[in-house]
Amino acid sequence: MNYEDLKATNFIEEIIIEDLKSGKHKSICTRFPPEPNGYLHIGHAKSICLNFGLAEKFGGRCNLRFDDTNPEKEDTEYVESIKNDVRWLGFSWGEKEFYASDYFEKMYEWAVELIKKGKAYVCHLSPEEMRKYRGTLNEPGIESPYRNRSVEENLLMFEKMKNGEFEEGEAVLRAKIDMSSPNINMRDPVMYRIIKSNHHRTGDKWCIYPSYDWAHGNEDSIEGVTHSICTLEFEDHRPLYDWFLDQLGVYHSRQIEFARLNLTYTVMSKRKLLKLVQEKYVSGWDDPRMPTISGLRRRGYTPESIKAFAEKIGVSKSNSTVEYSLLEYCIREDLNKRAQRCMVVLDPIKLIITNYPENHIEYLEAINNPEDESKGKRKIIFSRELFVERDDFREVPDPNFFRLTPGKEVRLQHAYYVTCKGFKKDDEGNVIEIYCEYDPDSRGGWSSDGRKVKGTIHWVDAKASIDVELRMYDHLFTKENPDDVEEGEDFTKNINTNSLVLKNGKGELFLLETDEVHFQFLRVGYFKKDEDSKDGKLIFNKTVGLKDSYNKKGK
RNA sequence: UGGGGUGUAGCCAAGUUGGUAAGGCAGCGGGUUUUGGUCCCGCCAUUUCGGGGGUUCGAGUCCUCCCGCCCCAGCCA
C-alpha cells in the first residue's frame, strides 16, 4: 500500500496514516468490543463502520470481540444478535470472534505478576468504605489499611478470592497507584471483584472477574490491536489503560477516543432501550421504532443506508446530536434507486368511471422503477371501479390543490385522464363515492393533443386489489431531546403515543406475486414487507415518507 | 476551589509551515417531470470561526485572559 496517496478524512485516520508512514506499524488492527448485554443500536453502527471501515481502508483487520467480563448482565442471546447485526451490516471478522473470557487465565497470571511487583493488593474494604476512602473530586483519597500488606499475603488472599473463599463484596484486587491523584480513576482502581454467578461461556470456573479497566488494555494487547478506539467518556481512563500495560511491559496499544452518536427524537443508552422493551412501550428490541440495528432493519433501513449515514456524520471529538432527517435522507437516497414501485391506497375512497363499460377490464403497463430501466414493467388491471386516496379529493380545493376536485381533470398514474363530474355523500356528509369520466384517447396517461394535466394520482382497481395492513411509524418521542423533562419525570414522559398508526389499505395484486421486500408506494413513501405477513394478509412497515412539498408548505 | 475534553451556519463537519471560511443535511427560490418523489440550477457564515486582548503586512489557525457545554467520586462498560 502506498501511504503517500492516503488521505485522512478524520483525526483517527490521520493518526493511523502517521503510524503507517513512520513505520510504527506495518499494518493496523482495530476491534469492535461490545459487551453482550443488550442489542446493538445505530450508535454502535457508527463504531462498527469506523472500526471495520478503518481496517478495510488501510488493509488491516478488525476483531469482533465480546467484552464479557460481567456475567450478571450478559447472555448468549445478545452474542447471537450482535453477530447477526454486524454480519448484516456487511462486515466480516475472519476466522472467529474473540471473547475477553478466553483471556481470563492470562489476565489472572498478569494480575499475580503485578502483585509480585508490589503493584496490586487485595483489599477488604466494603464498597461503602471504599467510596469514603476514595475522596471526592476536590479532596484526595485516603489509603486503604490493606494497602501495604506483604506480597506473600496478597498472593495468598488473591488465591483465596479465586478459590471462592470470600463472599461477594468481601474482597477485591486493587492496583496500587495513587490515592491522591486528581484523576479518580488512578486512586487504586479495582482490578478484580467477586461475582458468584454463572458465566455464559466459562460457567462456574471463575468467581472473580476482571473489571473493564484492567481487562480492556490486556485484551487489546493480547490481540495485537494497534488502535483501540473508544468513546469520549474513557478519556479519563487512558492514563490507567497506559499504566497497566506499562507495568506489565507487554505490547501496548494506543487508545483513541471519539464522540459517540446522538440522534434527535431518540434515546441511545442501553438502559433506556431496555426499559422501553421491558415496560412494553415497544414490541421488542426489533420494534421498527427502536434505534436498534434490528429495529432499523425491520423498519426497512438497508445496510448501505446506514453505512452512508455513518460516512456523512463524520468522526470527531465534540459532543453532537445529529438530526434524524439526515438518517432519513440516507435511506431515501438508497431506496429511490432500488425500491420496486407499486400503487397502494392508504385511505381508500371509491371512484367510478361512469363512461367506462361495465364488466370490462384491461391490462395497463406500469414501470417498476423509473430510476432503473432494467427493472422492467408490470401489468395492472384497470376497470370501471377503482379506489383512490381520500386525501386526493377535495370538494372545495385551495388554490394550490391540483388533484381531484369537481370539474378538474387529473391523470390516473399509468392509466387515463379522468375528469371529476360529481360525488356522493352519506347521511353524515362524508364523501363516499367520486364520479368521473375518462378520456379513452389518453390510455397510458398521454393525450395526443398535448394538453397538460398538472395532477397525477395513484389508484388501484376496486376488484383486482388486495387488503394490506400498513403500519405507519413516526418518531418514538415527541421531543428532539427525549430527556428534556421536568424534575422527577423521565424520558418515557415524552413518548409519542402516535408513533404507530395502523391503516387498512388497498394494494395492487402485484404485491402477492413479487419477492421484493422494499417498496416505494407511489406518492406515499417507502415500505418494507413485515415478517408478520401471512399468505392472506400482507403487512408493511413504513420506512420513511416521500418528501412532500405540498403538505410542507401548509396547503 | 480537582482532573479530562470540547466550542466553525438550524444540524453534522473540513480547515495541519498563519495568506483571506470545503462539503453534506435542513431551509428557501426556480427549472424538468406520467410520483407535489427523483434529477438539475441558484441562495444560505465576509459587523465570520464562544468572547476580550495581543503578536503580525495578514489570525479560525500563534500567545494570553475569560466564558459556555460535556465527562469523571460503580466491586458497570
Side-chain angles (χ1 to χ4, degrees), chain A residues 75-90:
Chain A
D75 194 277
T76 49
E77 176 198 352
Y78 298 126
V79 171
E80 291 312 310
S81 76
I82 289 167
K83 284 160 71 174
N84 188 40
D85 288 346
V86 174
R87 202 179 294 121
W88 178 74
L89 279 174

Side-chain angles (χ1 to χ4, degrees), chain A residues 282-498:
Chain A
V282 295
S283 63
W285 287 102
D286 68 344
D287 186 296
R289 291 165 294 182
M290 291 282 274
T292 50
I293 295 183
S294 51
L296 290 166
R297 175 168 59 231
R298 193 165 179 184
R299 176 80 170 252
Y301 278 79
T302 58
E304 291 77 9
S305 68
I306 291 173
K307 286 181 186 172
F309 175 70
E311 193 71 35
K312 287 184 192 299
I313 58 178
V315 177
S316 76
K317 295 194 66 156
S318 57
N319 279 314
S320 59
T321 303
V322 176
E323 288 179 347
Y324 202 89
S325 58
L326 180 58
L327 219 207
E328 295 186 325
Y329 168 83
C330 291
I331 187 59
R332 283 197 193 100
E333 184 190 39
D334 188 29
L335 257 21
N336 175 52
K337 289 176 298 195
R338 309 157 54 176
Q340 166 73 44
R341 310 291 137 119
C342 188
M343 293 196 287
V344 168
V345 177
L346 304 192
D347 189 6
I349 182 169
K350 188 163 279 188
L351 182 150
I352 298 170
I353 301 169
T354 54
N355 61 337
Y356 193 90
E358 299 198 34
N359 303 318
H360 180 261
I361 65 166
E362 61 183 302
Y363 289 87
L364 299 170
E365 276 194 329
I367 188 149
N368 285 329
N369 186 344
E371 306 293 317
D372 184 356
E373 286 281 334
S374 73
K375 290 296 174 63
K377 294 178 177 175
R378 66 186 185 284
K379 298 280 192 201
I380 306 177
I381 292 178
F382 182 90
S383 73
R384 190 171 195 268
E385 297 195 359
L386 313 172
F387 286 118
V388 296
E389 209 70 69
R390 182 170 295 276
D391 193 46
D392 285 339
F393 175 80
R394 291 295 144 81
E395 185 180 348
V396 185
D398 66 77
N400 298 316
F401 185 83
F402 41 85
R403 280 113 93 164
L404 267 179
T405 194
K408 208 160 165 181
E409 184 172 52
V410 301
R411 169 168 41 236
L412 294 174
Q413 176 88 242
H414 308 308
Y416 291 96
Y417 288 176
V418 295
T419 302
C420 178
K421 295 294 187 182
F423 55 91
K424 185 165 113 187
K425 286 182 172 180
D426 64 13
D427 296 340
E428 287 158 2
N430 303 309
V431 177
I432 51 170
E433 279 182 354
I434 300 167
Y435 306 112
C436 290
E437 286 179 6
Y438 84 124
D439 174 3
D441 292 332
S442 63
R443 193 172 199 274
W446 290 105
S447 71
S448 48
D449 62 4
R451 116 180 75 113
K452 290 287 183 197
V453 173
K454 181 97 170 161
T456 299
I457 65 174
H458 59 284
W459 54 277
V460 294
D461 186 80
K463 287 200 185 69
S465 59
I466 57 167
D467 291 322
V468 294
E469 178 181 320
L470 302 153
R471 297 179 175 170
M472 309 296 283
Y473 293 108
D474 195 358
H475 295 142
L476 223 203
F477 296 95
T478 53
K479 286 191 175 175
E480 281 199 8
N481 174 13
D483 289 318
D484 177 16
V485 290
E486 302 279 304
E487 189 68 32
E489 297 173 337
D490 79 350
F491 70 103
T492 56
K493 173 85 188 315
N494 290 323
I495 283 185
N496 176 10
T497 52
N498 293 315

Side-chain angles (χ1 to χ4, degrees), chain A residues 490-526:
Chain A
D490 79 350
F491 70 103
T492 56
K493 173 85 188 315
N494 290 323
I495 283 185
N496 176 10
T497 52
N498 293 315
S499 58
L500 169 58
V501 175
L502 296 180
K503 294 208 175 210
N504 292 303
K506 298 281 185 181
E508 285 181 43
L509 257 25
F510 175 77
L511 253 12
L512 245 25
E513 303 154 7
T514 181
D515 292 328
E516 299 279 352
V517 291
H518 293 285
F519 296 90
Q520 184 201 93
F521 290 162
L522 242 48
R523 300 208 307 131
V524 179
Y526 295 99

Side-chain angles (χ1 to χ4, degrees), chain A residues 54-73:
Chain A
L54 251 17
E56 281 176 6
K57 176 167 181 175
F58 297 103
R61 70 195 160 87
C62 178
N63 294 347
L64 171 61
R65 178 171 78 223
F66 292 96
D67 209 1
D68 54 351
T69 55
N70 185 351
E72 284 179 319
K73 298 184 173 178

